[in-house]
Amino acid sequence: MNGQYIPAINTDNLDAFARGVRRFTTGIDEAGYQAALDWARAEVTARSVPLLRLNDLPRGSFCSLSIVGSAAALSELLPEGNEALRAIRTLERWVGTEFQGIVPLNCSGENPLISAAAAAASGKPLVDGDGCGRVLPLLEQTTFTLHGISVGPIAVATPMRDDLILDAPATRIEELIRPIVAAAGGWAIVACYPMSAEQLAMAGLPGTLSNALRSGHPDFGPDPLVSRTLCRGTISGIEYPIQSIAGQPRSSAAGTLPSAPVSILISESAEPRSHLRLEAHNEIFLALADGRVIASAPDQILILNPRTHEVINLENLTVGEPVHVAMVPAASPAWKTKQGRLLMQLSGHAVEGFYNLSEDTMNEGAP
Amino acid sequence: MHLGIEVGSDAITMAALDSSGSLAGRATMTDTSITEGLNNGLARLTSAIIESVSCVVIAIHDQVQAGQLQPTAVLRLSGPAHPALRPLAAWPRELSARIGTCVETIRGGATLAGTSISDPDLRQVADLARRATDAGVPRIAVCGAGSPTRPDLEESCAEAITSVAPELSITLSHTLGGSGLRDRENAAVLNAALRPWAAAFSETLEETLKSHGIHAPVYVARTSGGAVVLEHFRQFPIVCIDGASGCLFAGAAHLANLSDAVVVDAGHDGIRSVILESGRLPTRPESSYDSAIRMSVAEVAYEQLAWKDLNLGPFPPHHLGPPARSEPRNRHLNLAAALMLGSFNSPMIVVGPRAMELAPELGPEYALFAAAVGAARSPVRAELERVIRVDETRTLAQALAQAQEDAVNLSVEAGADRVTIRIERLEHAPMSYLPPGFHRVAVGAAGEPKSARSA
């Protein structure tokens, strides 16, 4: 079964799919992930989910699906199971068309599992692709946006049974949606990026779900995920800015970002015994070794458990903990274009100077 | 003298450590019952040792079988959930059948930010308690959504239950801690269902020890390391169902006088291994019961691999050839291979029943007594996890100070001598996607067991 076409997500490959998508995360809440997996398992057992290739889409409209908020909140305020369907139906009613399929916003952690559950429950196929190639913190940080497709209108379905439509400029969406998520208990499902099959075929990143499947089990083909070790060491410090410690509102510079910035200091355990400094805000966007940049977004910087090689959630780091730091190349060249980097800056404002310094190395070609 | 006793399914081993930590006496028995094994083992220790025992620590493994789960009523306080996510839905049928059918979700609980989902109907709670009593189920587990932030919601349910059924034994999920409603609920249900076993086990222990003239305080090792006093174990048996693993690794380090080492437990069926750094055993925040039910009970984070999957050739290790090339994702095999080849910088200690085959130079105490030694050396430990909110009325420093004080008090309840308690671990992090000011806090506190003299 080396790298062959994978026609469906079903009970035979769901576990491999689940293992694969967790390898694309920047951190995982185990209880939230298991809840999403059990939800998906129940739905996929009842009905398998056809996978549509991006170059073979039927005519018609599609939408993207995503969880917004935290998986930790989902594991506490469990889904009733109809949230994704409600979001899809609400958006269908608003735009006046029935979607021919669902494309996950990203291919990481809970999101593709929930998309698979929604596809099974709705009887719609799932598109073998996504808009990130990994996971990014803001709804508009997608290759769909890079191709001029608007994130809105957005349908929001909360676990409190609220259904909302946000029909607003893309630049307002995050600011509007975060308070809604907080009021809804910390998570919600959104259906967004209503688009035509042609738009999706042009803007989506192809094959990312089947890649995840291959990453989850060698039976489905060679592992597509390559990484480079940046450091093996021990966490020597974790620093939060004073406003997040004091519980003050996040600075306006941070905009509506859903998490607090954090700096992680790591002492390398072997020669050259460098001191690493990782800067994170939702994701790790910069790695410095003794003051020298060794990796930065849009490449993905991950902190791994050295025993299990699982990604460690940034909220669960502890001083004295042994870790590996690895870098996974950006999922798509689109993220290394000027437009891609500018879009990435929305969640990494602190690295703006670095981006500017590096601009001469950018690929200027638009996607 | 501290007496450590490892209680396994096929053997009981004992190790007595003097005040310097030296092994003063040891015994191992392979009797069929715990009582018989304890009696015969204690009879083998000298009267001088017996008379000077000031503290006993029991380390359990392979004792908690499915048959020990007793029927338990289950109350979930939350909104409605997908059928696959309802109480006990992910349990194997034979285990959920043991818990019974007195299982109900009542609308209530809170979000992680503490906002109430709705006020629970306490009449419904009382009705469930009455039904449990009528059905002859004398225990109940209560798990509320958001209880790491709002433990008061579970406590109000407990009051409602006690008002109509004061005889019901109640486990509240927030007292066990952990994030994730289902994992915390599973831990609470299992805890409640194991209390009868814990009570019977405790009674056997106390009677047997007293019959040999040992009146010292008795502790039980926790699955995540450390120990709790027997009365605490009766209330929270779920945190002690595999205390022997942590004791084994800690005991090996003590016997070898090392605080940084790779410890390998060479068992009959396979190996388990752990990397000990600065004397600290790694832990993970969740574990599973019967390899089937996820629960928010921390355990020592060891790796394991069956011998049949190792493919490393015959013993002893210096005869091993290079391991079969493995897929990078096969972490178990990689780790095992790396351990067997000694490729870590740290020294390696081999313990367990097959230790003598792997490393005969280490001596038989490593093969048989490491867990009992580790038990005898166990501090008393308590863990606290909660979600706190920092605002204009309370600074983070104040909230953390309160959490540390609460952890110290928990340690005292767990049987620690207050003057010896230290904060071992204090972790906090702002929580994503919640309003500013919410932090996840975890505190670990440990102290010396109250000895017979100080108790």
Side-chain angles (χ1 to χ4, degrees):
Chain A
M1 301 175 72
N2 279 342
Q4 87 236 36
Y5 168 55
I6 295 164
I9 302 290
N10 52 38
T11 50
D12 293 335
N13 60 23
L14 181 67
D15 284 330
F17 182 61
R19 273 195 303 275
V21 295
R22 73 180 289 154
R23 296 186 71 211
F24 288 80
T25 61
T26 54
I28 201 143
D29 178 88
E30 198 60 44
Y33 167 83
Q34 289 295 336
L37 176 55
D38 286 348
W39 177 11
R41 193 189 309 284
E43 298 293 351
V44 169
T45 299
R47 177 155 50 184
S48 66
V49 178
L51 274 184
L52 295 179
R53 284 184 286 198
L54 271 176
N55 59 5
D56 196 21
L57 296 177
R59 297 171 73 90
S61 296
F62 291 78
C63 74
S64 192
L65 198 72
S66 183
I67 177 174
V68 287
S70 92
L74 178 141
S75 73
E76 202 60 44
L77 187 59
L78 292 167
E80 193 169 353
N82 58 18
E83 293 84 355
L85 265 181
R86 282 173 21 223
I88 294 166
R89 301 280 187 246
T90 302
L91 189 58
E92 283 180 334
R93 279 197 301 275
W94 186 258
V95 299
T97 186
E98 188 178 335
F99 299 123
Q100 300 303 305
I102 299 161
V103 61
L105 193 75
N106 63 65
C107 60
S108 159
E110 302 82 14
N111 204 46
L113 297 173
I114 292 171
S115 297
S122 66
K124 296 181 190 293
L126 198 59
V127 176
D128 185 6
D130 75 310
C132 293
R134 42 183 274 198
V135 60
L136 291 165
L138 305 184
L139 284 170
E140 60 186 294
Q141 288 178 313
T142 63
T143 51
F144 309 139
T145 298
L146 288 176
H147 284 80
I149 303 167
S150 174
V151 63
I154 286 181
V156 185
T158 79
M160 303 291 209
R161 297 181 174 172
D162 315 300
D163 293 311
L164 302 96
I165 279 280
L166 293 179
D167 198 352
T171 51
R172 296 265 299 139
I173 291 289
E174 283 290 340
E175 206 168 344
L176 291 167
I177 206 165
R178 296 298 164 195
I180 293 170
V181 170
W187 71 274
I189 300 287
V190 298
C192 50
Y193 290 103
M195 58 189 139
S196 68
E198 293 76 16
Q199 286 178 305
L200 175 54
M202 177 182 62
L205 294 173
T208 53
L209 300 190
S210 47
N211 270 348
L213 236 169
R214 293 183 189 103
S215 180
H217 200 284
D219 278 357
F220 299 100
D223 187 352
L225 200 58
V226 292
S227 65
R228 178 164 66 86
T229 298
L230 300 178
C231 163
R232 295 161 196 263
T234 303
I235 295 177
S236 55
I238 301 171
E239 298 170 355
Y240 296 98
I242 192 70
Q243 69 267 28
S244 60
I245 289 178
Q248 295 166 359
R250 285 159 198 147
S251 68
S252 58
T256 54
L257 290 178
S259 71
V262 56
S263 303
I264 302 133
L265 311 176
I266 296 169
S267 300
E268 193 171 21
S269 54
E271 294 300 331
R273 298 195 181 278
S274 298
H275 293 287
L276 249 72
R277 184 177 188 90
L278 307 179
E279 298 295 343
H281 198 166
N282 301 292
E283 61 175 337
I284 302 169
F285 57 81
L286 185 63
L288 301 162
D290 296 331
R292 183 172 52 88
V293 175
I294 56 170
S296 68
D299 294 333
Q300 193 169 12
I301 302 162
L302 303 172
I303 300 178
L304 306 173
N305 180 318
R307 296 184 307 276
T308 64
H309 302 151
E310 297 275 3
V311 177
I312 305 174
N313 199 328
L314 291 177
E315 291 179 6
N316 297 339
L317 299 171
T318 56
V319 173
E321 186 175 9
V323 291
H324 285 186
V325 183
M327 187 275 283
V328 179
S332 164
W335 291 121
K336 298 224 169 180
T337 63
K338 186 171 185 178
Q339 291 90 335
R341 288 177 184 267
L342 286 170
L343 196 55
M344 295 290 280
Q345 280 184 25
L346 292 175
S347 61
H349 62 284
V351 84
E352 188 173 344
F354 172 70
Y355 279 134
N356 291 341
L357 284 173
S358 307
E359 202 163 332
D360 56 341
T361 65
M362 292 178 192
N363 173 2
E364 295 288 336
Chain B
M1 191 81 69
H2 283 201
L3 178 62
I5 303 176
E6 179 196 14
V7 180
S9 58
D10 55 358
I12 288 178
T13 58
M14 301 181 179
L17 299 189
D18 63 21
S19 56
S20 69
S22 299
L23 194 57
R26 63 195 193 191
T28 181
M29 307 305 303
T30 52
D31 299 277
T32 52
S33 76
I34 292 172
T35 309
E36 201 178 346
L38 286 172
N39 276 325
N40 292 336
L42 292 168
R44 291 196 174 196
L45 298 176
T46 66
S47 57
I49 288 176
I50 295 287
E51 285 166 13
S52 60
V53 169
S54 59
C55 166
V56 179
V57 184
I58 309 292
I60 297 167
H61 73 85
D62 291 340
Q63 285 298 300
V64 185
Q65 310 298 330
Q68 271 128 3
L69 296 178
Q70 296 298 314
T72 299
V74 181
L75 167 59
R76 177 188 285 185
L77 209 56
S78 77
H82 187 281
L85 306 176
R86 289 174 188 163
L88 313 187
W91 287 40
R93 194 178 299 271
E94 65 273 19
L95 294 181
S96 61
R98 292 202 157 271
I99 298 303
T101 56
C102 234
V103 179
E104 191 160 326
T105 297
I106 292 175
R107 190 163 178 84
T111 68
L112 266 183
T115 309
S116 290
I117 294 170
S118 73
D119 291 333
D121 184 344
L122 294 179
R123 287 172 305 178
Q124 281 183 279
V125 175
D127 284 347
L128 178 65
R130 284 193 201 95
R131 285 210 312 278
T133 305
D134 293 346
V137 177
R139 60 199 71 84
I140 185 166
V142 179
C143 185
S147 68
T149 317
R150 294 287 306 275
D152 56 301
L153 298 174
E154 288 185 354
E155 283 158 1
S156 64
C157 286
E159 283 175 22
I161 292 165
T162 303
S163 69
V164 296
E167 70 283 6
L168 276 188
S169 159
I170 305 170
T171 297
L172 303 180
S173 79
H174 77 268
T175 59
L176 290 159
S179 64
L181 175 67
R182 294 192 307 159
D183 291 358
R184 200 170 58 251
E185 177 180 78
N186 288 344
V189 173
L190 288 164
N191 188 73
L194 287 172
R195 277 184 177 171
W197 162 78
F201 184 81
S202 302
E203 194 177 351
T204 300
L205 279 176
E206 284 185 315
E207 284 177 2
T208 309
L209 291 168
K210 281 178 184 164
S211 71
H212 288 264
I214 296 175
H215 299 277
V218 180
Y219 293 79
V220 183
R222 294 168 58 111
T223 305
S224 57
V228 296
V229 74
L230 200 59
E231 181 51 41
H232 197 274
F233 164 72
R234 286 193 186 96
Q235 294 300 309
F236 300 105
I238 194 64
V239 302
C240 298
I241 61 172
D242 182 26
S245 294
C247 290
L248 180 85
F249 296 122
H254 175 70
L255 285 167
N257 196 26
L258 290 169
S259 56
D260 293 277
V262 172
V263 187
V264 176
D265 170 27
H268 293 298
D269 299 327
I271 67 165
R272 300 187 301 167
S273 55
V274 76
I275 300 171
L276 186 78
E277 293 197 324
S278 304
R280 192 173 92 157
L281 283 170
T283 58
R284 48 188 157 234
E286 65 276 325
S287 54
S288 66
Y289 174 80
D290 207 26
S291 304
I293 302 170
R294 281 175 47 84
M295 56 182 183
S296 60
V297 173
E299 67 174 3
V300 173
Y302 57 76
E303 303 297 326
Q304 58 185 336
L305 189 70
W307 288 118
K308 64 181 173 58
D309 296 328
L310 263 172
N311 192 24
L312 287 175
F315 298 135
H318 54 268
H319 289 159
L320 296 178
R325 187 178 174 277
S326 64
E327 287 289 326
R329 64 171 67 89
N330 191 335
R331 59 190 172 85
H332 285 142
L333 187 54
N334 279 352
L335 179 64
L339 290 173
M340 291 299 174
L341 293 172
S343 63
F344 285 97
N345 295 328
S346 303
M348 189 192 306
I349 314 165
V350 184
V351 293
R354 295 183 73 173
M356 293 296 283
E357 298 171 60
L358 280 164
E361 70 279 6
L362 288 175
E365 65 270 30
Y366 288 86
L368 295 173
F369 297 100
V373 167
R377 294 267 304 162
S378 285
V380 175
R381 184 168 282 136
E383 305 278 343
L384 176 147
E385 269 187 68
R386 63 174 58 147
V387 175
I388 58 168
R389 182 166 198 182
V390 177
D391 54 24
E392 61 278 1
T393 65
R394 188 167 70 152
T395 66
L396 180 63
Q398 288 170 327
L400 294 180
Q402 183 64 56
Q404 290 176 81
E405 187 181 328
D406 292 346
V408 167
N409 290 333
L410 279 177
S411 299
V412 172
E413 287 174 26
D417 190 349
R418 184 181 281 276
V419 297
T420 67
I421 294 173
R422 64 200 179 280
I423 299 297
E424 289 185 318
R425 177 173 79 103
L426 173 61
E427 297 164 11
H428 66 93
M431 296 183 72
S432 305
Y433 297 97
L434 294 185
F438 283 92
H439 292 246
R440 181 188 63 83
V441 176
V443 188
E448 294 303 313
K450 284 181 187 168
S451 65
R453 204 168 298 124
S454 65

